[in-house]
Amino acid sequence: MSAPARVALLTLSVCASLLAPPAQAGGAGAPRPSVVGCRPGYVRPNFATLNRELAQARAIWAAQGLTRYRYEVRQVAAPVLLSATQVMVRDGAVVALNLLPGEAGQPNPLARLTVEGRFDSLAQTLRYQATLPCPEVRIRYDPALGFPVYLYSGQGDGGVADGFGEWTVSGFTPLP
């Protein structure tokens, strides 16, 4: 065997050994599971119901015909707590983001959404979460106007509480 062939074979052997599961203490234990199961008591969300509620809320919102409004959003994109921000929408487009009194830093860049944008984001979240083994999703809508007022999206896998997202909309005010 030539020297380059031996080097290539040795390189492949080393790479293959790095991909193998680690040995257990004592050398004979079972491999650790690669997926953490759902936490005890976990109940999978009913995505058919969540999607039906989303469609109903969109219809209620569309019936309002509102294109000029403002609202406040408080948001966590774990592990980050974003600055509470007021969003101003005119003619169906976000025209301003302002920090709420008492907040420091910059307005939340993830807040730059119209209500229609929030609905689109919810639909995307539901599509994504439905593919996961232990999804957690909670959504609430304003009963009179239909706009979304709350989202929690995370995992019910009993793992680290990192990577969840949550936002709350309040102070919704139609503008003239």
Side-chain angles (χ1 to χ4, degrees):
M1 185 181 298
S2 69
R6 281 193 301 270
V7 170
L9 185 58
L10 180 59
T11 303
L12 285 173
S13 297
V14 169
C15 289
S17 71
L18 292 174
L19 294 174
Q24 301 292 317
R32 293 181 5 204
S34 59
V35 177
V36 176
C38 298
R39 73 179 183 310
Y42 170 80
V43 176
R44 186 172 180 83
N46 183 328
F47 285 97
T49 298
L50 289 167
N51 281 299
R52 187 174 51 254
E53 290 170 350
L54 174 61
Q56 291 168 345
R58 274 188 198 247
I60 293 168
W61 171 255
Q64 307 307 312
L66 295 171
T67 61
R68 300 170 66 90
Y69 51 87
R70 71 174 173 247
Y71 67 88
E72 298 168 2
V73 64
R74 287 169 175 74
Q75 185 167 3
V76 174
V80 178
L81 173 61
L82 299 158
S83 298
T85 300
Q86 183 186 72
V87 179
M88 186 168 300
V89 176
R90 287 204 176 105
D91 302 322
V94 175
V95 296
L97 295 178
N98 299 301
L99 286 177
L100 291 179
E103 293 290 321
Q106 298 295 317
N108 171 2
L110 301 176
R112 186 173 285 283
L113 292 173
T114 62
V115 168
E116 291 80 2
R118 291 218 171 264
F119 280 126
D120 292 344
S121 176
L122 289 174
Q124 181 181 12
T125 297
L126 290 175
R127 281 191 303 273
Y128 172 72
Q129 286 285 54
T131 68
L132 299 177
C134 304
E136 285 192 335
V137 181
R138 292 184 290 281
I139 304 171
R140 288 193 309 271
Y141 303 95
D142 181 87
L145 300 179
F147 65 89
V149 296
Y150 177 76
L151 166 71
Y152 172 83
S153 173
Q155 294 299 305
D157 60 6
V160 190
D162 198 25
F164 73 91
E166 183 174 32
W167 50 255
T168 303
V169 167
S170 61
F172 182 89
T173 307
L175 299 174

